[in-house]
Amino acid sequence: MAGFEHPEFLVETDWLAQHLDDVVLLDCTTHLVPDPKITYVVKPGRDDFEKGHIPGAQFCDVSRDVSDTTQKFNFMRPQPDEFAAAVRRFGIGNGSRVVTYSTGNPWWATRVWWLLREFGHDNAAVLNGGWQKWIAENRAVESGPGTPRAPGDFTVREIRNLMVGKDAVKAAIGDAGICTLNALLPAQHAGAGGNSYGRPGRIAGSVNVPAAHLLDPATNTFLPADELRRRLAEVGALDRPVITYCGGGIAASADALVLTMLGHQNVRIYDASLSEWAKDASLPMETG
């Protein structure tokens, strides 16, 4: 990936096809099924996985395996010991090269990549183009539940505090030195359509670079580095600390991946995102 300061966080299908025996491969597919009563229902993509997956992959249930299920909101960052125990079960060790992918949207894969980074594991990457590109190229496919690996020896060697709560986001409002970046679609940012998570619109003062607009829709791959840099520079996200958010801290991780690959060294995700913010009338939002 020419033009990135950290191209190692994205791998291509050609590379993966040659290194399937050298990596721990996680299929992170998750579906959010709209439900007007509760915004959405989380449906892990295990059925999709068993119908077909990249050979050697294991299924990672993002909502349960690597999220704190005791929290009020979905997909919250797990405690370090719980995360370590979960990834050890996938056979991940401190020296493992981990590759994540998903079907549909890549941000389930980028979320798991971000969690590995949060807990000090930098030897991980996201498959560029994901499952769609893999099958479009007629590459090998497996079916069934996947083959478990022997437990790994992963330990949390560092906690980087790459997730923030609402207090940090509130403090950033009106602070020209911080860029609060919404990864949802433009209609949601404007409060004109899509899922509102409680109240329509955006966190006051935030700017919009949708995760979906980081991708080439024809291939599901990330846009070239120069184009990504241009889009993020337009909203002032390259030269200031960034807090990314979305509905639940998932799509925001795609923006966070791109910023990190471009060399940004101060990016954090508002973990609960609008799932928390939009439901609390005391927290300021904007529309239009």
Side-chain angles (χ1 to χ4, degrees):
M1 296 293 288
F4 287 109
E5 290 193 32
H6 291 287
E8 69 272 20
F9 297 140
L10 207 58
V11 298
E12 301 300 326
T13 50
D14 282 344
W15 182 92
L16 181 61
Q18 297 170 26
H19 292 87
L20 286 173
D21 294 334
D22 306 326
V23 302
V24 179
L25 183 59
L26 300 179
D27 182 324
C28 308
T29 301
T30 307
H31 304 289
L32 300 183
V33 182
D35 185 324
K37 295 179 182 176
I38 55 171
T39 308
Y40 60 78
V41 174
V42 178
K43 186 177 187 300
R46 190 179 297 277
D47 290 346
D48 308 70
F49 176 84
E50 296 199 1
K51 290 175 185 174
H53 54 264
I54 298 174
Q58 299 171 85
F59 180 70
C60 175
D61 182 342
V62 178
S63 65
R64 297 187 182 96
D65 292 335
V66 290
S67 296
D68 185 347
T69 57
T70 69
Q71 297 294 314
K72 178 179 179 182
F73 304 107
N74 293 321
F75 311 118
M76 296 294 287
R77 168 197 181 276
Q79 294 300 312
D81 56 341
E82 294 173 351
F83 181 80
V87 299
R88 284 196 294 267
R89 290 193 292 271
F90 290 119
I92 296 173
N94 291 329
S96 296
R97 178 66 164 155
V98 183
V99 176
T100 64
Y101 77 93
S102 50
T103 65
N105 302 318
W107 35 86
W108 302 103
T110 60
R111 172 69 182 193
V112 176
W113 173 83
W114 192 257
L115 287 168
L116 286 160
R117 184 172 172 77
E118 160 75 348
F119 295 118
H121 192 80
D122 287 325
N123 195 11
V126 173
L127 177 62
N128 197 20
W131 173 248
Q132 290 96 312
K133 189 169 188 286
W134 185 269
I135 58 171
E137 295 168 347
N138 295 311
R139 298 187 184 274
V141 173
E142 269 184 354
S143 60
T147 303
R149 288 175 171 258
D153 64 357
F154 180 89
T155 54
V156 174
R157 291 163 291 175
E158 180 181 3
I159 299 173
R160 293 184 171 145
N161 297 312
L162 302 177
M163 316 282 196
V164 300
K166 65 182 180 182
D167 289 343
V169 181
K170 283 174 67 177
I173 294 174
D175 184 345
I178 299 175
C179 176
T180 303
L181 180 62
N182 184 4
L184 293 174
L185 291 169
Q188 292 170 290
H189 184 72
N195 202 327
S196 70
Y197 297 91
R199 288 179 292 160
R202 61 189 174 274
I203 294 173
S206 62
V207 296
N208 188 210
V209 177
H213 293 185
L214 305 173
L215 306 170
D216 180 339
T219 61
N220 199 44
T221 56
F222 284 92
L223 295 169
D226 287 349
E227 177 60 19
L228 292 169
R229 186 177 287 108
R230 184 189 68 78
R231 294 184 183 202
L232 288 156
E234 279 184 348
V235 299
L238 294 181
D239 54 0
R240 295 180 288 168
V242 173
I243 299 174
T244 68
Y245 76 95
C246 54
I250 304 297
S253 67
D255 285 45
L257 166 69
V258 167
L259 285 162
T260 302
M261 289 182 64
L262 290 171
H264 203 303
Q265 297 181 7
N266 193 340
V267 182
R268 296 175 294 168
I269 293 175
Y270 174 20
D271 205 16
S273 285
L274 288 180
S275 294
E276 176 180 54
W277 193 277
K279 292 180 177 67
D280 185 342
S282 72
L283 300 172
M285 295 187 71
E286 297 171 340
T287 59

